[in-house]
Amino acid sequence: MSGRSFVSGGGNVPRRRGTKGATVATVLVCDDSALVRETLHRVLVTVPGVTRVVDAPSGEDALARWSVERPSLVLMDVRMPGIGGVEATRRLLSRHPEAVVLMLTVAEDAEGVARAVASGARGYVVKDATREEMAAAVVHVLSDALWRRSTPAPRAVEGAAPAPTLTEREMQVLTGMSRGRSNSEIGKELFLSEDTVKTHARRLFRKLGAADRAQAVAVGFRWGLVR
C-alpha cells in the first residue's frame, strides 16, 4: 500500500486548514491492542480540536459505544477478532450514515481497506505513521466532516459521468489487487512480468483517479467493477 494515508475528499472538495468550529470533537479509537489504543490516545489529545478520546477494544464494542458517545470521528482497526473493522464499519454506517470513520492499518491490506472505504469510510492511515502524519489526517477528516455538515448537499446532476472503462488486462489486475495479491503474484497468475503489471496498474490508477492500490480497489467496488 503506497503512501502513509489516504483521506477521501468525496470529489473535488477543497482541503480546508484547521478545525475551526470543531472545538468539542470526540474521537473513538477502536483497536484490539491496548498498546495501540494507548499510543493513539497520547497522539490524539495533542491534536487541535480534539477534546476527548474514548476507546473500544472490538468492533462490537465500537458499535455499542457509538450510540452513547456520538463521536466526531472513529479510528477503526481493519483487522480485529470478532466481526472485524470492515464489517463493523459497514454496520455502523448502515445504521448511522452520519458517522465518520477513518481506518487504521499496519501493512499491505488493500482489500480490507478498500472494502471499508467502499462502505463509506473516509480513508485510512497506517498505525506507524508519525505524530505529524496522524494529526494531519485527523485534522483533515474532522474539518471535512464539519464542512459537509454545514454545507447543503448538491442537487443531483443529470447525465452524471459513467463508470470508468478499463481494458480486460486492467480489470484482471484490479481484480488481483482486490484479492490482496502483490504485483508479482498477479503477474504469475496472468503470465505477465511484474513491470507489465505495474504499467497496467499505473494506467488503471489514472483512469480511476486513484493514488494507490487501496483507493483504486475502493473505487472499483463503488463502480461495481470488482466484487
Side-chain angles (χ1 to χ4, degrees), residues 26 28 54 56 60-74 76 92-93 95-101:
T26 295
L28 171 62
V54 294
E60 292 87 343
D61 193 45
L63 291 173
R65 296 208 66 180
W66 196 95
S67 297
V68 176
E69 304 290 348
R70 294 282 172 171
S72 307
L73 171 65
V74 178
M76 182 82 75
L92 175 62
L93 291 171
R95 299 173 189 174
H96 306 285
E98 71 276 20
V100 179
V101 182

mmCIF file with all atom_site columns, all heavy atoms in Angstrom, residues 26 28 54 56 60-74 76 92-93 95-101:
data_model
loop_
_atom_site.group_PDB
_atom_site.id
_atom_site.type_symbol
_atom_site.label_atom_id
_atom_site.label_alt_id
_atom_site.label_comp_id
_atom_site.label_asym_id
_atom_site.label_entity_id
_atom_site.label_seq_id
_atom_site.pdbx_PDB_ins_code
_atom_site.Cartn_x
_atom_site.Cartn_y
_atom_site.Cartn_z
_atom_site.occupancy
_atom_site.B_iso_or_equiv
_atom_site.pdbx_formal_charge
_atom_site.auth_seq_id
_atom_site.auth_comp_id
_atom_site.auth_asym_id
_atom_site.auth_atom_id
_atom_site.pdbx_PDB_model_num
ATOM 1   N N   . THR A 1 26  ? -14.920 14.522 19.775 1.00 0.00 ? 26  THR A N   1
ATOM 2   C CA  . THR A 1 26  ? -14.609 13.285 20.484 1.00 0.00 ? 26  THR A CA  1
ATOM 3   C C   . THR A 1 26  ? -14.159 12.258 19.462 1.00 0.00 ? 26  THR A C   1
ATOM 4   O O   . THR A 1 26  ? -14.799 12.095 18.424 1.00 0.00 ? 26  THR A O   1
ATOM 5   C CB  . THR A 1 26  ? -15.848 12.750 21.228 1.00 0.00 ? 26  THR A CB  1
ATOM 6   O OG1 . THR A 1 26  ? -16.220 13.669 22.252 1.00 0.00 ? 26  THR A OG1 1
ATOM 7   C CG2 . THR A 1 26  ? -15.559 11.390 21.862 1.00 0.00 ? 26  THR A CG2 1
ATOM 8   N N   . LEU A 1 28  ? -13.246 8.239  18.857 1.00 0.00 ? 28  LEU A N   1
ATOM 9   C CA  . LEU A 1 28  ? -13.348 6.877  19.364 1.00 0.00 ? 28  LEU A CA  1
ATOM 10  C C   . LEU A 1 28  ? -12.293 6.025  18.674 1.00 0.00 ? 28  LEU A C   1
ATOM 11  O O   . LEU A 1 28  ? -12.295 5.903  17.445 1.00 0.00 ? 28  LEU A O   1
ATOM 12  C CB  . LEU A 1 28  ? -14.744 6.307  19.089 1.00 0.00 ? 28  LEU A CB  1
ATOM 13  C CG  . LEU A 1 28  ? -14.967 4.813  19.375 1.00 0.00 ? 28  LEU A CG  1
ATOM 14  C CD1 . LEU A 1 28  ? -14.743 4.508  20.850 1.00 0.00 ? 28  LEU A CD1 1
ATOM 15  C CD2 . LEU A 1 28  ? -16.364 4.397  18.963 1.00 0.00 ? 28  LEU A CD2 1
ATOM 16  N N   . VAL A 1 54  ? -11.973 8.324  23.484 1.00 0.00 ? 54  VAL A N   1
ATOM 17  C CA  . VAL A 1 54  ? -12.528 7.144  24.153 1.00 0.00 ? 54  VAL A CA  1
ATOM 18  C C   . VAL A 1 54  ? -12.104 5.899  23.380 1.00 0.00 ? 54  VAL A C   1
ATOM 19  O O   . VAL A 1 54  ? -11.767 5.976  22.197 1.00 0.00 ? 54  VAL A O   1
ATOM 20  C CB  . VAL A 1 54  ? -14.060 7.218  24.250 1.00 0.00 ? 54  VAL A CB  1
ATOM 21  C CG1 . VAL A 1 54  ? -14.471 8.359  25.168 1.00 0.00 ? 54  VAL A CG1 1
ATOM 22  C CG2 . VAL A 1 54  ? -14.691 7.390  22.878 1.00 0.00 ? 54  VAL A CG2 1
ATOM 23  N N   . ALA A 1 56  ? -12.393 1.561  22.367 1.00 0.00 ? 56  ALA A N   1
ATOM 24  C CA  . ALA A 1 56  ? -13.215 0.362  22.183 1.00 0.00 ? 56  ALA A CA  1
ATOM 25  C C   . ALA A 1 56  ? -12.273 -0.756 21.757 1.00 0.00 ? 56  ALA A C   1
ATOM 26  O O   . ALA A 1 56  ? -11.511 -0.583 20.810 1.00 0.00 ? 56  ALA A O   1
ATOM 27  C CB  . ALA A 1 56  ? -14.293 0.590  21.128 1.00 0.00 ? 56  ALA A CB  1
ATOM 28  N N   . GLU A 1 60  ? -17.564 -4.885 17.911 1.00 0.00 ? 60  GLU A N   1
ATOM 29  C CA  . GLU A 1 60  ? -18.839 -4.972 18.607 1.00 0.00 ? 60  GLU A CA  1
ATOM 30  C C   . GLU A 1 60  ? -18.968 -3.854 19.644 1.00 0.00 ? 60  GLU A C   1
ATOM 31  O O   . GLU A 1 60  ? -20.019 -3.217 19.767 1.00 0.00 ? 60  GLU A O   1
ATOM 32  C CB  . GLU A 1 60  ? -18.981 -6.337 19.299 1.00 0.00 ? 60  GLU A CB  1
ATOM 33  C CG  . GLU A 1 60  ? -19.115 -7.516 18.351 1.00 0.00 ? 60  GLU A CG  1
ATOM 34  C CD  . GLU A 1 60  ? -17.777 -8.101 17.904 1.00 0.00 ? 60  GLU A CD  1
ATOM 35  O OE1 . GLU A 1 60  ? -16.727 -7.427 18.061 1.00 0.00 ? 60  GLU A OE1 1
ATOM 36  O OE2 . GLU A 1 60  ? -17.780 -9.236 17.400 1.00 0.00 ? 60  GLU A OE2 1
ATOM 37  N N   . ASP A 1 61  ? -17.878 -3.622 20.374 1.00 0.00 ? 61  ASP A N   1
ATOM 38  C CA  . ASP A 1 61  ? -17.898 -2.585 21.407 1.00 0.00 ? 61  ASP A CA  1
ATOM 39  C C   . ASP A 1 61  ? -18.004 -1.194 20.773 1.00 0.00 ? 61  ASP A C   1
ATOM 40  O O   . ASP A 1 61  ? -18.681 -0.314 21.299 1.00 0.00 ? 61  ASP A O   1
ATOM 41  C CB  . ASP A 1 61  ? -16.627 -2.673 22.265 1.00 0.00 ? 61  ASP A CB  1
ATOM 42  C CG  . ASP A 1 61  ? -16.733 -1.857 23.534 1.00 0.00 ? 61  ASP A CG  1
ATOM 43  O OD1 . ASP A 1 61  ? -17.772 -1.937 24.204 1.00 0.00 ? 61  ASP A OD1 1
ATOM 44  O OD2 . ASP A 1 61  ? -15.778 -1.124 23.851 1.00 0.00 ? 61  ASP A OD2 1
ATOM 45  N N   . ALA A 1 62  ? -17.356 -1.015 19.624 1.00 0.00 ? 62  ALA A N   1
ATOM 46  C CA  . ALA A 1 62  ? -17.424 0.278  18.939 1.00 0.00 ? 62  ALA A CA  1
ATOM 47  C C   . ALA A 1 62  ? -18.853 0.592  18.514 1.00 0.00 ? 62  ALA A C   1
ATOM 48  O O   . ALA A 1 62  ? -19.318 1.731  18.633 1.00 0.00 ? 62  ALA A O   1
ATOM 49  C CB  . ALA A 1 62  ? -16.506 0.278  17.719 1.00 0.00 ? 62  ALA A CB  1
ATOM 50  N N   . LEU A 1 63  ? -19.558 -0.417 18.012 1.00 0.00 ? 63  LEU A N   1
ATOM 51  C CA  . LEU A 1 63  ? -20.952 -0.213 17.610 1.00 0.00 ? 63  LEU A CA  1
ATOM 52  C C   . LEU A 1 63  ? -21.819 0.181  18.807 1.00 0.00 ? 63  LEU A C   1
ATOM 53  O O   . LEU A 1 63  ? -22.679 1.068  18.700 1.00 0.00 ? 63  LEU A O   1
ATOM 54  C CB  . LEU A 1 63  ? -21.506 -1.498 16.980 1.00 0.00 ? 63  LEU A CB  1
ATOM 55  C CG  . LEU A 1 63  ? -20.920 -1.883 15.620 1.00 0.00 ? 63  LEU A CG  1
ATOM 56  C CD1 . LEU A 1 63  ? -21.428 -3.266 15.212 1.00 0.00 ? 63  LEU A CD1 1
ATOM 57  C CD2 . LEU A 1 63  ? -21.282 -0.853 14.566 1.00 0.00 ? 63  LEU A CD2 1
ATOM 58  N N   . ALA A 1 64  ? -21.582 -0.458 19.943 1.00 0.00 ? 64  ALA A N   1
ATOM 59  C CA  . ALA A 1 64  ? -22.365 -0.148 21.141 1.00 0.00 ? 64  ALA A CA  1
ATOM 60  C C   . ALA A 1 64  ? -22.032 1.240  21.676 1.00 0.00 ? 64  ALA A C   1
ATOM 61  O O   . ALA A 1 64  ? -22.920 2.000  22.079 1.00 0.00 ? 64  ALA A O   1
ATOM 62  C CB  . ALA A 1 64  ? -22.109 -1.202 22.220 1.00 0.00 ? 64  ALA A CB  1
ATOM 63  N N   . ARG A 1 65  ? -20.741 1.590  21.655 1.00 0.00 ? 65  ARG A N   1
ATOM 64  C CA  . ARG A 1 65  ? -20.320 2.857  22.240 1.00 0.00 ? 65  ARG A CA  1
ATOM 65  C C   . ARG A 1 65  ? -20.659 4.041  21.356 1.00 0.00 ? 65  ARG A C   1
ATOM 66  O O   . ARG A 1 65  ? -20.816 5.162  21.851 1.00 0.00 ? 65  ARG A O   1
ATOM 67  C CB  . ARG A 1 65  ? -18.823 2.842  22.532 1.00 0.00 ? 65  ARG A CB  1
ATOM 68  C CG  . ARG A 1 65  ? -18.395 1.832  23.570 1.00 0.00 ? 65  ARG A CG  1
ATOM 69  C CD  . ARG A 1 65  ? -17.148 2.251  24.309 1.00 0.00 ? 65  ARG A CD  1
ATOM 70  N NE  . ARG A 1 65  ? -17.373 3.443  25.114 1.00 0.00 ? 65  ARG A NE  1
ATOM 71  C CZ  . ARG A 1 65  ? -16.423 4.008  25.862 1.00 0.00 ? 65  ARG A CZ  1
ATOM 72  N NH1 . ARG A 1 65  ? -15.205 3.499  25.887 1.00 0.00 ? 65  ARG A NH1 1
ATOM 73  N NH2 . ARG A 1 65  ? -16.683 5.082  26.573 1.00 0.00 ? 65  ARG A NH2 1
ATOM 74  N N   . TRP A 1 66  ? -20.767 3.825  20.041 1.00 0.00 ? 66  TRP A N   1
ATOM 75  C CA  . TRP A 1 66  ? -21.034 4.961  19.161 1.00 0.00 ? 66  TRP A CA  1
ATOM 76  C C   . TRP A 1 66  ? -22.344 5.635  19.521 1.00 0.00 ? 66  TRP A C   1
ATOM 77  O O   . TRP A 1 66  ? -22.428 6.869  19.574 1.00 0.00 ? 66  TRP A O   1
ATOM 78  C CB  . TRP A 1 66  ? -21.062 4.517  17.695 1.00 0.00 ? 66  TRP A CB  1
ATOM 79  C CG  . TRP A 1 66  ? -20.950 5.697  16.764 1.00 0.00 ? 66  TRP A CG  1
ATOM 80  C CD1 . TRP A 1 66  ? -19.810 6.194  16.192 1.00 0.00 ? 66  TRP A CD1 1
ATOM 81  C CD2 . TRP A 1 66  ? -22.015 6.549  16.315 1.00 0.00 ? 66  TRP A CD2 1
ATOM 82  N NE1 . TRP A 1 66  ? -20.098 7.307  15.426 1.00 0.00 ? 66  TRP A NE1 1
ATOM 83  C CE2 . TRP A 1 66  ? -21.442 7.548  15.485 1.00 0.00 ? 66  TRP A CE2 1
ATOM 84  C CE3 . TRP A 1 66  ? -23.395 6.572  16.537 1.00 0.00 ? 66  TRP A CE3 1
ATOM 85  C CZ2 . TRP A 1 66  ? -22.188 8.547  14.880 1.00 0.00 ? 66  TRP A CZ2 1
ATOM 86  C CZ3 . TRP A 1 66  ? -24.157 7.585  15.940 1.00 0.00 ? 66  TRP A CZ3 1
ATOM 87  C CH2 . TRP A 1 66  ? -23.561 8.552  15.117 1.00 0.00 ? 66  TRP A CH2 1
ATOM 88  N N   . SER A 1 67  ? -23.365 4.854  19.778 1.00 0.00 ? 67  SER A N   1
ATOM 89  C CA  . SER A 1 67  ? -24.679 5.423  20.094 1.00 0.00 ? 67  SER A CA  1
ATOM 90  C C   . SER A 1 67  ? -24.657 6.210  21.399 1.00 0.00 ? 67  SER A C   1
ATOM 91  O O   . SER A 1 67  ? -25.436 7.149  21.578 1.00 0.00 ? 67  SER A O   1
ATOM 92  C CB  . SER A 1 67  ? -25.726 4.309  20.188 1.00 0.00 ? 67  SER A CB  1
ATOM 93  O OG  . SER A 1 67  ? -25.863 3.649  18.951 1.00 0.00 ? 67  SER A OG  1
ATOM 94  N N   . VAL A 1 68  ? -23.758 5.835  22.310 1.00 0.00 ? 68  VAL A N   1
ATOM 95  C CA  . VAL A 1 68  ? -23.653 6.513  23.603 1.00 0.00 ? 68  VAL A CA  1
ATOM 96  C C   . VAL A 1 68  ? -22.772 7.758  23.495 1.00 0.00 ? 68  VAL A C   1
ATOM 97  O O   . VAL A 1 68  ? -23.136 8.841  23.961 1.00 0.00 ? 68  VAL A O   1
ATOM 98  C CB  . VAL A 1 68  ? -23.086 5.562  24.673 1.00 0.00 ? 68  VAL A CB  1
ATOM 99  C CG1 . VAL A 1 68  ? -22.877 6.295  26.000 1.00 0.00 ? 68  VAL A CG1 1
ATOM 100 C CG2 . VAL A 1 68  ? -24.001 4.369  24.856 1.00 0.00 ? 68  VAL A CG2 1
ATOM 101 N N   . GLU A 1 69  ? -21.617 7.603  22.855 1.00 0.00 ? 69  GLU A N   1
ATOM 102 C CA  . GLU A 1 69  ? -20.633 8.681  22.793 1.00 0.00 ? 69  GLU A CA  1
ATOM 103 C C   . GLU A 1 69  ? -20.882 9.672  21.653 1.00 0.00 ? 69  GLU A C   1
ATOM 104 O O   . GLU A 1 69  ? -20.502 10.825 21.749 1.00 0.00 ? 69  GLU A O   1
ATOM 105 C CB  . GLU A 1 69  ? -19.222 8.087  22.633 1.00 0.00 ? 69  GLU A CB  1
ATOM 106 C CG  . GLU A 1 69  ? -18.812 7.100  23.710 1.00 0.00 ? 69  GLU A CG  1
ATOM 107 C CD  . GLU A 1 69  ? -18.591 7.777  25.053 1.00 0.00 ? 69  GLU A CD  1
ATOM 108 O OE1 . GLU A 1 69  ? -18.540 9.026  25.093 1.00 0.00 ? 69  GLU A OE1 1
ATOM 109 O OE2 . GLU A 1 69  ? -18.452 7.055  26.060 1.00 0.00 ? 69  GLU A OE2 1
ATOM 110 N N   . ARG A 1 70  ? -21.487 9.202  20.568 1.00 0.00 ? 70  ARG A N   1
ATOM 111 C CA  . ARG A 1 70  ? -21.676 10.024 19.366 1.00 0.00 ? 70  ARG A CA  1
ATOM 112 C C   . ARG A 1 70  ? -20.379 10.746 18.987 1.00 0.00 ? 70  ARG A C   1
ATOM 113 O O   . ARG A 1 70  ? -20.333 11.974 18.896 1.00 0.00 ? 70  ARG A O   1
ATOM 114 C CB  . ARG A 1 70  ? -22.789 11.049 19.593 1.00 0.00 ? 70  ARG A CB  1
ATOM 115 C CG  . ARG A 1 70  ? -24.150 10.428 19.759 1.00 0.00 ? 70  ARG A CG  1
ATOM 116 C CD  . ARG A 1 70  ? -24.734 10.022 18.428 1.00 0.00 ? 70  ARG A CD  1
ATOM 117 N NE  . ARG A 1 70  ? -25.972 9.250  18.559 1.00 0.00 ? 70  ARG A NE  1
ATOM 118 C CZ  . ARG A 1 70  ? -26.753 8.933  17.539 1.00 0.00 ? 70  ARG A CZ  1
ATOM 119 N NH1 . ARG A 1 70  ? -26.418 9.305  16.324 1.00 0.00 ? 70  ARG A NH1 1
ATOM 120 N NH2 . ARG A 1 70  ? -27.831 8.219  17.718 1.00 0.00 ? 70  ARG A NH2 1
ATOM 121 N N   . PRO A 1 71  ? -19.301 10.006 18.758 1.00 0.00 ? 71  PRO A N   1
ATOM 122 C CA  . PRO A 1 71  ? -18.006 10.638 18.481 1.00 0.00 ? 71  PRO A CA  1
ATOM 123 C C   . PRO A 1 71  ? -17.994 11.370 17.149 1.00 0.00 ? 71  PRO A C   1
ATOM 124 O O   . PRO A 1 71  ? -18.739 11.032 16.221 1.00 0.00 ? 71  PRO A O   1
ATOM 125 C CB  . PRO A 1 71  ? -17.041 9.444  18.462 1.00 0.00 ? 71  PRO A CB  1
ATOM 126 C CG  . PRO A 1 71  ? -17.893 8.296  18.025 1.00 0.00 ? 71  PRO A CG  1
ATOM 127 C CD  . PRO A 1 71  ? -19.228 8.534  18.697 1.00 0.00 ? 71  PRO A CD  1
ATOM 128 N N   . SER A 1 72  ? -17.126 12.368 17.055 1.00 0.00 ? 72  SER A N   1
ATOM 129 C CA  . SER A 1 72  ? -16.958 13.110 15.809 1.00 0.00 ? 72  SER A CA  1
ATOM 130 C C   . SER A 1 72  ? -16.206 12.273 14.782 1.00 0.00 ? 72  SER A C   1
ATOM 131 O O   . SER A 1 72  ? -16.356 12.475 13.574 1.00 0.00 ? 72  SER A O   1
ATOM 132 C CB  . SER A 1 72  ? -16.175 14.397 16.076 1.00 0.00 ? 72  SER A CB  1
ATOM 133 O OG  . SER A 1 72  ? -16.767 15.151 17.104 1.00 0.00 ? 72  SER A OG  1
ATOM 134 N N   . LEU A 1 73  ? -15.389 11.340 15.266 1.00 0.00 ? 73  LEU A N   1
ATOM 135 C CA  . LEU A 1 73  ? -14.562 10.507 14.394 1.00 0.00 ? 73  LEU A CA  1
ATOM 136 C C   . LEU A 1 73  ? -14.302 9.169  15.058 1.00 0.00 ? 73  LEU A C   1
ATOM 137 O O   . LEU A 1 73  ? -14.097 9.099  16.271 1.00 0.00 ? 73  LEU A O   1
ATOM 138 C CB  . LEU A 1 73  ? -13.223 11.219 14.114 1.00 0.00 ? 73  LEU A CB  1
ATOM 139 C CG  . LEU A 1 73  ? -12.139 10.425 13.387 1.00 0.00 ? 73  LEU A CG  1
ATOM 140 C CD1 . LEU A 1 73  ? -12.573 10.080 11.966 1.00 0.00 ? 73  LEU A CD1 1
ATOM 141 C CD2 . LEU A 1 73  ? -10.822 11.196 13.374 1.00 0.00 ? 73  LEU A CD2 1
ATOM 142 N N   . VAL A 1 74  ? -14.312 8.107  14.248 1.00 0.00 ? 74  VAL A N   1
ATOM 143 C CA  . VAL A 1 74  ? -13.932 6.777  14.717 1.00 0.00 ? 74  VAL A CA  1
ATOM 144 C C   . VAL A 1 74  ? -12.672 6.349  13.967 1.00 0.00 ? 74  VAL A C   1
ATOM 145 O O   . VAL A 1 74  ? -12.640 6.379  12.732 1.00 0.00 ? 74  VAL A O   1
ATOM 146 C CB  . VAL A 1 74  ? -15.035 5.733  14.450 1.00 0.00 ? 74  VAL A CB  1
ATOM 147 C CG1 . VAL A 1 74  ? -14.576 4.342  14.918 1.00 0.00 ? 74  VAL A CG1 1
ATOM 148 C CG2 . VAL A 1 74  ? -16.332 6.128  15.144 1.00 0.00 ? 74  VAL A CG2 1
ATOM 149 N N   . MET A 1 76  ? -10.813 3.167  13.194 1.00 0.00 ? 76  MET A N   1
ATOM 150 C CA  . MET A 1 76  ? -11.208 1.749  13.244 1.00 0.00 ? 76  MET A CA  1
ATOM 151 C C   . MET A 1 76  ? -10.118 0.848  12.667 1.00 0.00 ? 76  MET A C   1
ATOM 152 O O   . MET A 1 76  ? -9.745  0.974  11.499 1.00 0.00 ? 76  MET A O   1
ATOM 153 C CB  . MET A 1 76  ? -12.495 1.554  12.442 1.00 0.00 ? 76  MET A CB  1
ATOM 154 C CG  . MET A 1 76  ? -13.043 0.137  12.443 1.00 0.00 ? 76  MET A CG  1
ATOM 155 S SD  . MET A 1 76  ? -14.008 -0.249 13.917 1.00 0.00 ? 76  MET A SD  1
ATOM 156 C CE  . MET A 1 76  ? -15.526 0.662  13.565 1.00 0.00 ? 76  MET A CE  1
ATOM 157 N N   . LEU A 1 92  ? -21.923 0.077  11.143 1.00 0.00 ? 92  LEU A N   1
ATOM 158 C CA  . LEU A 1 92  ? -22.046 1.399  11.750 1.00 0.00 ? 92  LEU A CA  1
ATOM 159 C C   . LEU A 1 92  ? -22.625 2.403  10.765 1.00 0.00 ? 92  LEU A C   1
ATOM 160 O O   . LEU A 1 92  ? -23.561 3.153  11.081 1.00 0.00 ? 92  LEU A O   1
ATOM 161 C CB  . LEU A 1 92  ? -20.670 1.875  12.242 1.00 0.00 ? 92  LEU A CB  1
ATOM 162 C CG  . LEU A 1 92  ? -20.620 3.302  12.793 1.00 0.00 ? 92  LEU A CG  1
ATOM 163 C CD1 . LEU A 1 92  ? -21.529 3.441  14.016 1.00 0.00 ? 92  LEU A CD1 1
ATOM 164 C CD2 . LEU A 1 92  ? -19.179 3.672  13.157 1.00 0.00 ? 92  LEU A CD2 1
ATOM 165 N N   . LEU A 1 93  ? -22.090 2.423  9.546  1.00 0.00 ? 93  LEU A N   1
ATOM 166 C CA  . LEU A 1 93  ? -22.532 3.412  8.568  1.00 0.00 ? 93  LEU A CA  1
ATOM 167 C C   . LEU A 1 93  ? -23.910 3.087  8.001  1.00 0.00 ? 93  LEU A C   1
ATOM 168 O O   . LEU A 1 93  ? -24.616 3.992  7.551  1.00 0.00 ? 93  LEU A O   1
ATOM 169 C CB  . LEU A 1 93  ? -21.499 3.524  7.452  1.00 0.00 ? 93  LEU A CB  1
ATOM 170 C CG  . LEU A 1 93  ? -20.182 4.158  7.911  1.00 0.00 ? 93  LEU A CG  1
ATOM 171 C CD1 . LEU A 1 93  ? -19.107 4.039  6.830  1.00 0.00 ? 93  LEU A CD1 1
ATOM 172 C CD2 . LEU A 1 93  ? -20.378 5.620  8.287  1.00 0.00 ? 93  LEU A CD2 1
ATOM 173 N N   . ARG A 1 95  ? -26.305 1.906  9.880  1.00 0.00 ? 95  ARG A N   1
ATOM 174 C CA  . ARG A 1 95  ? -27.214 2.346  10.952 1.00 0.00 ? 95  ARG A CA  1
ATOM 175 C C   . ARG A 1 95  ? -27.136 3.860  11.169 1.00 0.00 ? 95  ARG A C   1
ATOM 176 O O   . ARG A 1 95  ? -28.131 4.507  11.472 1.00 0.00 ? 95  ARG A O   1
ATOM 177 C CB  . ARG A 1 95  ? -26.858 1.649  12.271 1.00 0.00 ? 95  ARG A CB  1
ATOM 178 C CG  . ARG A 1 95  ? -26.978 0.140  12.227 1.00 0.00 ? 95  ARG A CG  1
ATOM 179 C CD  . ARG A 1 95  ? -26.440 -0.473 13.520 1.00 0.00 ? 95  ARG A CD  1
ATOM 180 N NE  . ARG A 1 95  ? -26.345 -1.922 13.430 1.00 0.00 ? 95  ARG A NE  1
ATOM 181 C CZ  . ARG A 1 95  ? -25.795 -2.687 14.374 1.00 0.00 ? 95  ARG A CZ  1
ATOM 182 N NH1 . ARG A 1 95  ? -25.320 -2.136 15.478 1.00 0.00 ? 95  ARG A NH1 1
ATOM 183 N NH2 . ARG A 1 95  ? -25.729 -3.997 14.212 1.00 0.00 ? 95  ARG A NH2 1
ATOM 184 N N   . HIS A 1 96  ? -25.920 4.397  11.037 1.00 0.00 ? 96  HIS A N   1
ATOM 185 C CA  . HIS A 1 96  ? -25.691 5.821  11.302 1.00 0.00 ? 96  HIS A CA  1
ATOM 186 C C   . HIS A 1 96  ? -24.877 6.423  10.153 1.00 0.00 ? 96  HIS A C   1
ATOM 187 O O   . HIS A 1 96  ? -23.649 6.547  10.253 1.00 0.00 ? 96  HIS A O   1
ATOM 188 C CB  . HIS A 1 96  ? -24.933 5.998  12.625 1.00 0.00 ? 96  HIS A CB  1
ATOM 189 C CG  . HIS A 1 96  ? -25.579 5.315  13.792 1.00 0.00 ? 96  HIS A CG  1
ATOM 190 N ND1 . HIS A 1 96  ? -26.711 5.801  14.402 1.00 0.00 ? 96  HIS A ND1 1
ATOM 191 C CD2 . HIS A 1 96  ? -25.238 4.162  14.440 1.00 0.00 ? 96  HIS A CD2 1
ATOM 192 C CE1 . HIS A 1 96  ? -27.044 4.987  15.394 1.00 0.00 ? 96  HIS A CE1 1
ATOM 193 N NE2 . HIS A 1 96  ? -26.183 3.991  15.434 1.00 0.00 ? 96  HIS A NE2 1
ATOM 194 N N   . PRO A 1 97  ? -25.505 6.791  9.057  1.00 0.00 ? 97  PRO A N   1
ATOM 195 C CA  . PRO A 1 97  ? -24.789 7.318  7.887  1.00 0.00 ? 97  PRO A CA  1
ATOM 196 C C   . PRO A 1 97  ? -23.974 8.565  8.195  1.00 0.00 ? 97  PRO A C   1
ATOM 197 O O   . PRO A 1 97  ? -23.043 8.892  7.455  1.00 0.00 ? 97  PRO A O   1
ATOM 198 C CB  . PRO A 1 97  ? -25.922 7.637  6.905  1.00 0.00 ? 97  PRO A CB  1
ATOM 199 C CG  . PRO A 1 97  ? -27.069 6.784  7.343  1.00 0.00 ? 97  PRO A CG  1
ATOM 200 C CD  . PRO A 1 97  ? -26.960 6.705  8.832  1.00 0.00 ? 97  PRO A CD  1
ATOM 201 N N   . GLU A 1 98  ? -24.322 9.252  9.276  1.00 0.00 ? 98  GLU A N   1
ATOM 202 C CA  . GLU A 1 98  ? -23.585 10.470 9.630  1.00 0.00 ? 98  GLU A CA  1
ATOM 203 C C   . GLU A 1 98  ? -22.253 10.189 10.309 1.00 0.00 ? 98  GLU A C   1
ATOM 204 O O   . GLU A 1 98  ? -21.431 11.098 10.514 1.00 0.00 ? 98  GLU A O   1
ATOM 205 C CB  . GLU A 1 98  ? -24.438 11.350 10.553 1.00 0.00 ? 98  GLU A CB  1
ATOM 206 C CG  . GLU A 1 98  ? -24.632 10.827 11.971 1.00 0.00 ? 98  GLU A CG  1
ATOM 207 C CD  . GLU A 1 98  ? -25.761 9.815  12.121 1.00 0.00 ? 98  GLU A CD  1
ATOM 208 O OE1 . GLU A 1 98  ? -26.182 9.218  11.112 1.00 0.00 ? 98  GLU A OE1 1
ATOM 209 O OE2 . GLU A 1 98  ? -26.226 9.625  13.268 1.00 0.00 ? 98  GLU A OE2 1
ATOM 210 N N   . ALA A 1 99  ? -21.999 8.930  10.686 1.00 0.00 ? 99  ALA A N   1
ATOM 211 C CA  . ALA A 1 99  ? -20.745 8.579  11.350 1.00 0.00 ? 99  ALA A CA  1
ATOM 212 C C   . ALA A 1 99  ? -19.564 8.824  10.420 1.00 0.00 ? 99  ALA A C   1
ATOM 213 O O   . ALA A 1 99  ? -19.663 8.680  9.202  1.00 0.00 ? 99  ALA A O   1
ATOM 214 C CB  . ALA A 1 99  ? -20.777 7.116  11.793 1.00 0.00 ? 99  ALA A CB  1
ATOM 215 N N   . VAL A 1 100 ? -18.443 9.197  11.018 1.00 0.00 ? 100 VAL A N   1
ATOM 216 C CA  . VAL A 1 100 ? -17.221 9.466  10.257 1.00 0.00 ? 100 VAL A CA  1
ATOM 217 C C   . VAL A 1 100 ? -16.166 8.452  10.701 1.00 0.00 ? 100 VAL A C   1
ATOM 218 O O   . VAL A 1 100 ? -15.813 8.397  11.887 1.00 0.00 ? 100 VAL A O   1
ATOM 219 C CB  . VAL A 1 100 ? -16.718 10.901 10.508 1.00 0.00 ? 100 VAL A CB  1
ATOM 220 C CG1 . VAL A 1 100 ? -15.424 11.155 9.733  1.00 0.00 ? 100 VAL A CG1 1
ATOM 221 C CG2 . VAL A 1 100 ? -17.784 11.915 10.107 1.00 0.00 ? 100 VAL A CG2 1
ATOM 222 N N   . VAL A 1 101 ? -15.668 7.649  9.759  1.00 0.00 ? 101 VAL A N   1
ATOM 223 C CA  . VAL A 1 101 ? -14.736 6.565  10.085 1.00 0.00 ? 101 VAL A CA  1
ATOM 224 C C   . VAL A 1 101 ? -13.466 6.688  9.264  1.00 0.00 ? 101 VAL A C   1
ATOM 225 O O   . VAL A 1 101 ? -13.502 6.910  8.049  1.00 0.00 ? 101 VAL A O   1
ATOM 226 C CB  . VAL A 1 101 ? -15.366 5.180  9.821  1.00 0.00 ? 101 VAL A CB  1
ATOM 227 C CG1 . VAL A 1 101 ? -14.399 4.064  10.226 1.00 0.00 ? 101 VAL A CG1 1
ATOM 228 C CG2 . VAL A 1 101 ? -16.691 5.037  10.565 1.00 0.00 ? 101 VAL A CG2 1
#
